[in-house]
């Protein structure tokens, strides 16, 4: 069985033809999303991208959107694409492509892709986090994505964790992603070092023994651990899988994160399972197609 997966991002649309037995992406394309031209143009472009990769019999189309999506396949809003408020993306794509279409939030789909084909295969219940410019979260409970009452469960990056904290892209203040994302590491690093640096540079400097960079990392990783601890104290799931740019730092991120999280949870457990995601850049395409598994 094959399905088309469409990964809608702030600047680009990636589409792929996916083998649903193996998760392999058989054909792929990436085009600019031209988000400034509004949702109708973006959806026309998504349909074009899907047609470019279409081949053979297809069970359906899946769309991953960079924002919360309700049970009718309506994108409620997105922080990164202008004019996307209450856009019925699944029905609109079904009409354009004349194929059954499902849609969900991109982090939910990445969680599902890791469950079907990646690092989360051994687990029935887990958190998936993507930590990069922001923090996305997908929750799989008993082998199903938990989408919540309205469909927007997992807006975990916007849990308030700092009282009177920094303003977030969502309009609120002190959200988790304002202190624990790649963007937050870059900003804290730039302030500490007095010159513009990104999260990758901070990891590199810390690896070279730079004490200021190490301090910035320690604080950010501590905030990641605090958030994970809150999640686990509520849900007690089997594992946490982490993808996104920050996870590519490898042991420099995961080893202190496990230590700090275990430190906070030590009176309850003597082990925490926090693993890097296995699927790479194509996780969005694979997850969207896997809506049909
Ligand atoms: Zn926020």
């Amino acid at each position: 069985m094959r399905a088309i997966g469409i990964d809608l991002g702030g600047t680009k649309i990636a589409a792929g033809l996916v083998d649903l037995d193996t998760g392999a992406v058989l054909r792929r394309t990436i085009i600019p999303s031209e988000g400034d031209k509004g949702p109708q143009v973006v959806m026309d472009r998504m349909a074009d991208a899907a047609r470019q990769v279409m081949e053979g019999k297809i069970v359906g189309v899946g769309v991953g959107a960079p924002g919360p999506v309700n049970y009718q396949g309506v994108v409620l809003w997105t922080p990164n694409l202008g004019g996307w408020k209450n856009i019925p993306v699944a029905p609109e794509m079904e009409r354009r492509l004349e194929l059954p279409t499902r849609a969900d939030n991109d982090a939910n789909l990445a969680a599902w892709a890791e469950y079907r084909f990646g690092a989360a295969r051994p687990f029935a219940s887990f958190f998936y986090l993507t930590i990069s410019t922001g923090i996305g979260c997908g929750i799989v409970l008993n082998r199903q994505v938990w989408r919540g009452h309205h469909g927007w469960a997992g807006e975990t990056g916007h849990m308030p964790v700092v009282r009177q904290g920094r303003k977030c892209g969502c309009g609120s203040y002190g959200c988790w992603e304002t202190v624990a994302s790649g963007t937050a590491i870059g900003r804290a690093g730039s302030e500490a070092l007095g010159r513009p640096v990104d999260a990758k540079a901070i990891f590199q400097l810390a690896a070279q023994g730079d004490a200021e960079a190490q301090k910035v990392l320690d604080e950010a990783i501590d905030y990641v651990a605090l958030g994970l601890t809150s999640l686990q104290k509520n849900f007690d799931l089997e594992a946490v899988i982490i993808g996104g740019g920050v996870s590519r730092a490898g042991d420099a991120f995961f080893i202190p994160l496990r230590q700090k999280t275990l430190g906070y949870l030590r009176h309850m457990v003597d082990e925490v399972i926090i693993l890097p995601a296995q699927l790479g850049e194509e996780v969005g395409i694979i997850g969207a197609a896997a809506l049909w598994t």
Side-chain angles (χ1 to χ4, degrees):
M1 288 216 301
R2 292 170 169 188
I4 302 280
I6 303 173
D7 180 16
L8 172 61
T11 57
K12 61 185 171 51
I13 295 161
L17 177 68
V18 179
D19 181 327
L20 296 179
D21 295 320
T22 62
V25 181
L26 306 171
R27 303 181 68 185
R28 59 183 66 70
T29 187
I30 296 180
I31 61 173
S33 46
E34 299 188 7
D36 55 325
K37 294 183 182 163
Q40 295 302 327
V41 170
V42 172
M43 287 189 285
D44 287 342
R45 294 184 61 74
M46 287 163 67
D48 286 344
R51 286 187 201 101
Q52 284 177 31
V53 298
M54 229 172 253
E55 189 181 65
K57 185 168 163 41
I58 287 155
V59 293
V61 177
V63 177
V69 179
N70 75 8
Y71 289 94
Q72 286 73 46
V74 176
V75 176
L76 301 177
W77 60 276
T78 68
N80 300 322
L81 278 164
W84 281 70
K85 193 164 168 54
N86 297 323
I87 301 297
V89 70
E92 287 277 335
M93 295 306 293
E94 203 159 291
R95 189 171 61 75
R96 281 171 171 78
L97 293 168
E98 297 179 333
L99 281 168
T101 302
R102 296 172 178 169
D104 198 353
N105 164 263
D106 52 10
N108 286 354
L109 296 181
W112 189 239
E114 290 289 339
Y115 169 68
R116 292 304 315 276
F117 304 113
R121 273 177 291 185
F123 309 116
S125 301
F126 64 94
F127 291 107
Y128 168 86
L129 292 177
T130 174
I131 305 182
S132 48
T133 51
I135 299 180
C137 179
I139 306 163
V140 172
L141 294 180
N142 295 324
R143 307 185 189 284
Q144 288 191 324
V145 174
W146 174 257
R147 297 185 61 192
H149 174 54
H150 301 91
W152 52 258
E155 284 298 293
T156 309
H158 302 286
M159 291 191 296
V161 297
V162 184
R163 205 171 148 268
Q164 296 178 329
R166 190 181 287 271
K167 187 161 191 192
C168 178
C170 74
S172 189
Y173 291 85
C175 296
W176 193 27
E177 69 177 41
T178 67
V179 287
S181 64
T183 307
I185 294 171
R187 186 177 50 229
S190 302
E191 284 170 8
L193 300 175
R195 61 189 163 89
V197 286
D198 60 8
K200 195 175 171 188
I202 290 296
F203 274 105
Q204 283 167 349
L205 285 166
Q208 292 159 11
D210 186 296
E212 283 291 324
Q214 190 59 54
K215 201 172 142 206
V216 166
L217 269 191
D218 282 345
E219 185 160 321
I221 295 172
D222 200 43
Y223 266 122
V224 178
L226 268 182
L228 287 189
T229 301
S230 299
L231 294 176
Q232 283 295 48
K233 283 204 171 176
N234 281 287
F235 287 88
D236 181 22
L237 303 189
E238 289 162 71
V240 178
I241 309 295
I242 304 183
V246 172
S247 72
R248 283 182 216 124
D251 285 351
F253 174 70
F254 282 95
I255 290 174
L257 178 61
R258 289 185 192 113
Q259 285 169 347
K260 287 172 190 287
T261 307
L262 187 57
Y264 288 124
L265 287 168
R266 197 178 296 278
H267 56 295
M268 305 180 74
V269 293
D270 52 19
E271 184 195 33
V272 293
I273 299 178
I274 303 174
L275 301 172
Q278 279 177 5
L279 304 175
E281 300 256 307
E282 289 175 331
V283 67
I285 293 173
I286 298 166
L291 278 169
W292 293 92
T293 64

